[in-house]
């Protein structure tokens, strides 16, 4: 199976936001999309999810055209850095919400939700309300609510951008573990080059509404546009400086 996007164009008024954007992603893989703020990354995900409408282009999953399919039937789930949980539902009810909409049997709902709560590291929190959770815990709940319905493609719009560095690192590891276990196909948008490297199996860079996809990790890391060559030189220079400043033993 493959997820493909071909020649998507989108304008806000007279301003072009997506300029013939396309990508190709294998099933059960994560495509990291790196790019600066305002380059069109979020708009692309919203178009794919059916939350925004493009002027032209194709969205294909396993050869099936999705661009005219209503958002609720596409099977593409959009998740942003703001968890947007239902404040009046506890952790268990938030995560199981999609299954209840699908009218799954009560026993299945209990079992699958319980298993996912454990996998997300939320044991003992089933009855807690969103207001009683930390930022990282709320994002775990939002992640679980998206995963439990087994979306065709999970669209992540800087999902960990509002978290502190340690929690962000923990969530990156959790995302990779759960995605591997569940066989999730995903697009992961970020402006952090290191995060893009950590979570992705495939990589792309977006700038001014155009997306460039790379064949290899080395090609992605070598492109000056990504900022990675400059960052690597900085850390190498810092290490050399520290060595030179060390007192002789």
């Amino acid at each position: 199976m493959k997820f493909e996007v071909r020649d998507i164009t989108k304008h806000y008024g007279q301003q072009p936001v997506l300029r013939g954007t396309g990508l190709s992603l294998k099933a059960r893989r994560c495509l990291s999309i790196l790019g600066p703020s305002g380059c069109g990354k979020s708009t692309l995900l919203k178009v794919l999810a059916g939350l925004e409408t493009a002027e032209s282009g194709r969205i294909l999953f396993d050869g099936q055209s999705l661009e005219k399919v209503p958002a609720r039937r596409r099977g593409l789930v959009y998740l942003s850095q703001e968890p947007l949980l239902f404040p009046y539902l506890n952790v268990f009810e938030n995560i199981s919400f999609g299954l209840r909409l699908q009218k799954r049997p009560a026993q299945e709902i209990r079992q699958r939700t319980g298993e996912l709560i454990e996998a997300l590291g939320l044991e003992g929190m089933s009855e807690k309300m969103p207001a009683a959770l930390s930022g990282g815990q709320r994002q775990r709940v939002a992640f679980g609510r998206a995963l439990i319905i087994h979306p065709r493609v999970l669209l992540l719009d800087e999902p960990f951008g509002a978290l502190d560095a340690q929690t962000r690192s923990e969530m990156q590891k959790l995302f990779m573990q759960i995605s591997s276990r569940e066989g999730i196909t995903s697009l992961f948008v970020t402006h952090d080059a290191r995060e893009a490297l950590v979570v992705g199996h495939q990589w792309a860079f977006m700038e001014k509404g155009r997306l460039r996809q790379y064949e290899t990790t080395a090609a992605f890391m070598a492109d000056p546009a990504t900022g990675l060559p400059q960052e690597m030189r900085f850390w190498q220079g810092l290490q050399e400086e520290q060595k030179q400043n060390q007192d002789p033993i």
Side-chain angles (χ1 to χ4, degrees), residues 211-224:
L211 188 138
R212 181 188 313 121
Q213 195 165 348
Y214 302 87
E215 293 293 331
T216 64
T217 311
F220 175 64
M221 295 182 67
D223 188 345

Side-chain angles (χ1 to χ4, degrees), residues 103-120:
K103 302 187 184 301
R104 308 303 299 176
Q107 182 177 353
E108 179 186 343
I109 292 174
R110 285 193 300 271
Q111 180 178 342
R112 288 178 57 185
T113 305
E115 290 173 352
L116 193 49
I117 284 174
E118 181 178 354
L120 290 165

Side-chain angles (χ1 to χ4, degrees), residues 1-4 60-65:
M1 292 188 293
K2 183 185 288 188
F3 181 59
E4 296 179 272
L60 303 165
F61 185 85
D62 200 21
Q64 178 189 359
S65 177

